[in-house]
Amino acid sequence: MKYLICEKPYKLSISEQTIPPLEKGESLLKIKLAGICGTDIHAYEGTQPFFDYPRILGHELSAEYVRGSKANVVAGDHVTVIPYFHCGECIACLHGRTNCCANIRVFGVHIDGGYCEYIAIKDEYIVEGKGLPLDKLVLVEPLAIAAHAIKRAHVTNQDTVLIIGVGPIGAGLLNFAQIAGAQKVIAMDTNTKRLKYAKDNLQVDAIINPKEEDVMAALKNITNGNMPTVVIDATGNHSVLQDAFAYIAHGGRYVMVGIQKNNLTFSHPEFHKREATLMSSRNATLQDFNYVITCLKEDKVNVQNYITHYLPFETVTSDFESLLRADTDVLKAVIEFDRNN
């Protein structure tokens, strides 16, 4: 079988090896589509922390079940994969929070991932597609990250939600905030095309471009001076993460989905007087995956125009760098291993 490997920053190559043998409790999957996420791009650029080379990237997958021991799944079924391998023994796992396992190994980050024609994977990490087409299944993992963050934020119909960063995760956050019944949903980004996507495709209540307007003034105007009760960052940008502390309403919640390797600082008196809540949101759980699949089946998630670029597997080594250009209108790019049913 063929696989795509990142040998070092800015160097991808296609190699061959035998189809992996199955161990007890594993199944063989044929990869059909694989999403390219920020983690993969940062690894390619050499900016992904705690990352070793060479590495097979890829953890957003839609696949066809080939053979193995997974219950209630037969050859030819469409499936996706939970790429966060947990220990089952740490305090987080014992409390059902496998997404933040103390000994977590993420497929395509800490260990080789899914940019392969075939993968062998433990049955517990295989999620039934429940009839979803491949193009929707490949979106389940990033959408599950968004759904998990909205759940962490406890969004209700009393909330005004500000999502900072309208990339693939940010678009999902906007959509799941709406599904949760948020009173008002605001999108903020410096990319005018992505803001247009949020307004036209997701019908958010308001958009803000920090390059064109004063953010604080815009938020006060939109919220009648109250500021957003929920602020969620999906950028991972250091200055954006710090600035967002000023956007939280009194009694509000701030959730960090984007990750920054440097220290953050903020005014304790300003944070304290709001009795604000600060939390992170990492990965997702099986419950989040199943919730996303249900929402997709019920057409609650608007994925129209979500996938903007398809890269054939055979040309991805030469095409990958084009995704980094500032003028590239990319929301979600996907590698096509095999689209045939």
Side-chain angles (χ1 to χ4, degrees):
M1 70 167 193
K2 294 179 180 179
Y3 64 95
L4 179 70
I5 190 165
C6 187
E7 297 183 24
K8 60 183 181 180
Y10 295 101
K11 183 171 177 57
L12 296 172
S13 63
I14 293 177
S15 300
E16 290 194 33
Q17 63 184 16
T18 58
I19 294 176
L22 295 182
E23 298 182 4
K24 185 177 180 181
E26 289 187 339
S27 292
L28 184 69
L29 307 182
K30 182 179 182 180
I31 302 300
K32 296 284 194 172
L33 299 175
I36 299 172
C37 81
T39 299
D40 303 315
I41 290 174
H42 293 154
Y44 177 75
E45 294 176 320
T47 58
Q48 176 66 32
F50 312 114
F51 195 86
D52 296 320
Y53 300 89
R55 177 68 71 226
I56 300 173
L57 306 176
H59 58 268
E60 300 178 358
L61 309 171
S62 63
E64 180 182 286
Y65 191 82
V66 179
R67 63 177 181 273
S69 52
K70 175 72 173 177
N72 303 316
V73 181
V74 298
D77 282 355
H78 290 172
V79 298
T80 188
V81 169
I82 300 177
Y84 330 117
F85 301 163
H86 60 276
C87 71
E89 299 176 352
C90 71
I91 188 66
C93 288
L94 293 176
H95 285 84
R97 300 182 65 176
T98 55
N99 60 297
C100 58
C101 166
N103 305 298
I104 201 166
R105 296 186 306 157
V106 179
F107 203 45
V109 179
H110 305 108
I111 58 176
D112 284 340
Y115 285 173
C116 309
E117 290 185 302
Y118 293 89
I119 61 170
I121 194 165
K122 289 184 178 180
D123 293 337
E124 65 183 298
Y125 299 112
I126 299 172
V127 182
E128 300 171 55
K130 300 179 181 177
L132 283 181
L134 297 169
D135 296 80
K136 287 189 176 181
L137 269 180
V138 76
L139 301 176
V140 170
E141 193 273 344
L143 289 173
I145 289 176
H148 183 78
I150 295 299
K151 182 172 67 177
R152 288 275 287 153
H154 300 290
V155 174
T156 72
N157 60 7
Q158 300 298 308
D159 286 310
T160 295
V161 181
L162 168 65
I163 305 299
I164 309 174
V166 189
I169 302 298
L173 288 164
L174 292 167
N175 210 154
F176 281 103
Q178 292 170 325
I179 293 171
Q183 187 178 82
K184 191 172 290 185
V185 179
I186 309 163
M188 186 165 83
D189 204 301
T190 58
N191 186 313
T192 56
K193 292 180 179 178
R194 290 188 172 185
L195 287 176
K196 187 176 187 302
Y197 174 88
K199 192 68 176 177
D200 294 348
N201 284 66
L202 301 178
Q203 289 83 50
V204 297
D205 298 287
I207 57 175
I208 299 174
N209 188 334
K211 288 184 176 180
E212 300 177 354
E213 56 190 315
D214 180 271
V215 174
M216 291 294 290
L219 286 173
K220 287 179 180 178
N221 180 57
I222 295 166
T223 63
N224 296 318
N226 293 318
M227 304 300 284
T229 55
V230 175
V231 176
I232 305 180
D233 175 82
T235 69
N237 179 280
H238 188 268
S239 62
V240 175
L241 281 161
Q242 293 204 155
D243 289 346
F245 281 95
Y247 308 152
I248 314 168
H250 282 247
R253 289 94 74 198
Y254 181 14
V255 184
M256 297 181 179
V257 178
I259 187 169
Q260 168 57 230
K261 63 182 179 180
N262 296 316
N263 292 335
L264 297 173
T265 59
F266 59 93
S267 168
H268 185 203
E270 286 296 321
F271 189 79
H272 188 86
K273 75 181 185 182
R274 289 169 169 80
E275 198 181 44
T277 300
L278 175 63
M279 65 187 86
S280 61
S281 182
R282 187 185 186 193
N283 302 326
T285 64
L286 174 60
Q287 290 75 22
D288 297 316
F289 273 68
N290 285 329
Y291 173 65
V292 168
I293 288 173
T294 297
C295 288
L296 284 166
K297 286 181 68 68
E298 295 176 355
D299 293 324
K300 291 181 178 179
V301 182
N302 182 3
V303 293
Q304 181 183 6
N305 302 325
Y306 195 96
I307 300 176
T308 53
H309 292 69
Y310 287 97
L311 280 63
F313 175 66
E314 295 77 11
T315 64
V316 69
T317 55
S318 58
D319 293 346
F320 196 92
E321 195 154 344
S322 68
L323 303 176
L324 309 181
R325 295 202 312 263
D327 62 343
T328 304
D329 187 18
V330 179
L331 182 61
K332 169 58 67 178
V334 168
I335 299 172
E336 296 180 292
F337 284 82
D338 180 6
R339 285 178 58 87
N340 297 322
N341 293 325

